């Protein structure tokens, strides 16, 4: 029964995060992108802070190390990731954005190895990273005559989002701070929202509250803030404990299926051949980079089934 529950939670998380890309595309019709991302995390951050106050004895960061962890999370995991993603997704499909973001686990490994020269990637691992990067280029499908076309620039902005998240993930792990994840997420969300508000003002984004009251706009914001952010992150950390880092990374490769399906049903988006090929390259790159960990996980699962049979 526990195995089926875990599978159900995994598929729920993939569905929530996959359809989040569709909600972003829908909401961008009413909100300027960086402000949209900022308001999303105003709401999500307050919800998570309330949850942290309930679940944690002391939800307020203490000391320089904990505030450094929050600063990295706010800057890279929340502000940079979502600002690049929301701006980029103005000119690309939900499916394409989700596929480019699925490169994050590959980039995370690349950054980890770069920051630890003694633990360099093997030639096969390097080939995996390069395959993943090639997948992004295929999704972008740049033309020699127009390398600055809106859809090409948009794809590489989404790639910058994935790179920001990957780097942030590595840096937060390297800090090795023993801080409740609920507190870290809540304060990172609020800090990231504040940074994006500053960015929105610097970009001169228009503030038109009348547009925000449209039913679709309210629905997109509520879904992203409450479901994709608050519920999604709680599911993620529940599954991280159950599955480990390797298996939970596979959410990145199931989420595009939901983004593609609901992007087609709700937004009328169609996936072209280049996007499909790009996704295949990124997925193969992931397998090459994570091959040892995947082999170990498969061996562990096989031993578990054998012991159950005994």
């Amino acid at each position: 029964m526990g195995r089926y529950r875990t599978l159900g939670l995994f598929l729920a998380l993939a569905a929530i995060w996959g359809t989040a890309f569709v909600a972003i595309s829908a909401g961008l019709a009413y909100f300027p992108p960086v402000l949209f991302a900022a308001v999303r995390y105003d709401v999500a951050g307050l919800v998570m802070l309330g949850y942290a106050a309930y679940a944690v004895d002391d939800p307020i960061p203490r000391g320089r190390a904990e505030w450094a962890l929050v600063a990295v999370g706010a800057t890279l995991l929340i502000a940079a990731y979502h600002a690049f993603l929301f701006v980029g997704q103005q000119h690309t499909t939900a499916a394409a954005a989700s596929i480019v973001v699925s490169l994050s686990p590959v980039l995370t490994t690349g950054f980890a190895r770069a920051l630890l020269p003694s633990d360099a990637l093997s030639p096969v691992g390097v080939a995996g990273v390069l395959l993943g990067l090639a997948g992004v280029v295929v999704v972008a499908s740049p033309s020699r005559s127009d390398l600055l076309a809106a859809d090409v620039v948009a794809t590489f902005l989404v790639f910058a989002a994935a790179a920001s998240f990957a780097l942030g993930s590595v840096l937060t792990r390297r800090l090795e701070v023993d801080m409740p994840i609920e507190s870290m997420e809540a304060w990172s969300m609020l800090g990231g929202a504040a940074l994006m508000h500053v960015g929105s003002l610097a970009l001169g984004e228009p503030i038109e509250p009348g547009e925000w009251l449209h039913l679709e706009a309210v629905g997109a914001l509520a879904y992203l803030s409450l479901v994709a952010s608050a519920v999604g992150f709680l599911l993620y950390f529940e599954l991280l404990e159950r599955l480990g880092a390797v298996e939970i990374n596979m959410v990145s490769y199931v989420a595009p299926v939901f983004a593609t399906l609901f992007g087609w049903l709700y937004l009328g988006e169609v996936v072209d051949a280049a996007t499909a090929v790009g996704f295949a390259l990124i997925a193969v790159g992931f397998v090459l980079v994570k091959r040892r960990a995947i082999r170990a996980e498969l061996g562990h699962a096989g031993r578990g089934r054998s012991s159950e049979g005994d």
Side-chain angles (χ1 to χ4, degrees):
M1 185 62 69
R3 184 184 304 168
Y4 292 116
R5 175 176 168 78
T6 300
L7 176 61
L9 292 175
F10 180 93
L11 291 175
L13 180 59
I16 287 171
W17 280 359
T19 51
F21 290 94
V22 180
I24 291 170
S25 292
L28 285 170
Y30 308 95
F31 295 90
V34 180
L35 182 60
F36 185 19
V39 174
R40 169 188 178 176
Y41 278 101
D42 287 333
V43 178
L46 289 172
V47 171
M48 284 298 295
L49 186 59
Y51 179 76
Y54 164 78
V56 177
D57 291 335
D58 184 6
I60 300 175
R62 304 294 179 181
R64 186 176 301 175
E66 290 193 357
W67 281 111
L69 182 67
V70 168
V72 171
T75 303
L76 292 172
L77 298 179
I78 303 298
Y81 171 68
H82 290 90
F84 283 130
L85 176 63
F86 279 52
V87 172
Q89 209 172 316
Q90 292 179 109
H91 300 289
T92 190
T93 65
S98 67
I99 287 168
V100 174
V101 166
S102 73
L103 184 64
S104 287
V106 177
L107 293 174
T108 298
T109 301
F111 280 125
R113 298 297 192 265
L115 293 173
L116 294 169
S118 60
D119 193 17
L121 277 172
S122 68
V124 175
V126 172
V129 173
L130 293 177
L131 264 182
L133 295 175
V136 173
V137 173
V138 171
V139 171
S141 299
S143 167
R144 289 184 181 180
S145 60
D146 194 2
L147 290 174
L148 296 179
D151 55 342
V152 175
V153 173
T155 299
F156 286 106
L157 284 172
V158 177
F159 170 75
S164 298
F165 192 88
L167 179 59
S169 298
V170 172
L171 292 178
T172 53
R173 288 207 300 266
R174 280 175 60 85
L175 287 172
E176 296 183 349
V177 179
D178 185 18
M179 179 181 183
I181 195 64
E182 297 88 349
S183 300
M184 185 270 188
E185 287 291 340
W187 289 102
S188 294
M189 287 176 177
L190 292 172
L195 289 173
M196 288 187 286
H197 277 296
V198 172
S200 177
L201 288 172
L203 291 170
E205 290 186 333
I207 300 176
E208 300 175 359
E211 287 287 301
W212 305 356
L213 299 178
H214 191 283
L215 182 60
E216 188 176 41
V218 172
L221 180 60
Y223 186 82
L224 289 169
S225 302
L226 303 177
V227 181
S229 297
V231 175
F233 276 110
L234 291 176
L235 279 177
Y236 174 84
F237 290 111
E238 167 78 10
L239 285 167
L240 185 61
E241 289 185 8
R242 289 170 176 251
L243 298 175
V246 176
E247 287 190 61
I248 194 62
N249 276 338
M250 295 308 296
V251 168
S252 299
Y253 297 91
V254 180
V257 175
F258 290 96
T260 301
L261 176 61
F262 285 90
W264 172 63
L265 289 173
Y266 189 76
L267 302 172
E269 296 178 344
V270 178
V271 175
D272 58 18
T275 302
V277 171
F279 177 62
L281 289 172
I282 291 171
V284 172
F286 172 81
V287 171
L288 291 178
V289 168
K290 298 287 189 179
R291 66 196 184 284
R292 293 192 181 93
I294 292 171
R295 191 183 303 124
E297 288 289 339
L298 290 175
H300 177 73
R303 287 192 297 274
R305 284 193 294 271
S306 176
S307 62
E308 287 176 9
D310 295 341

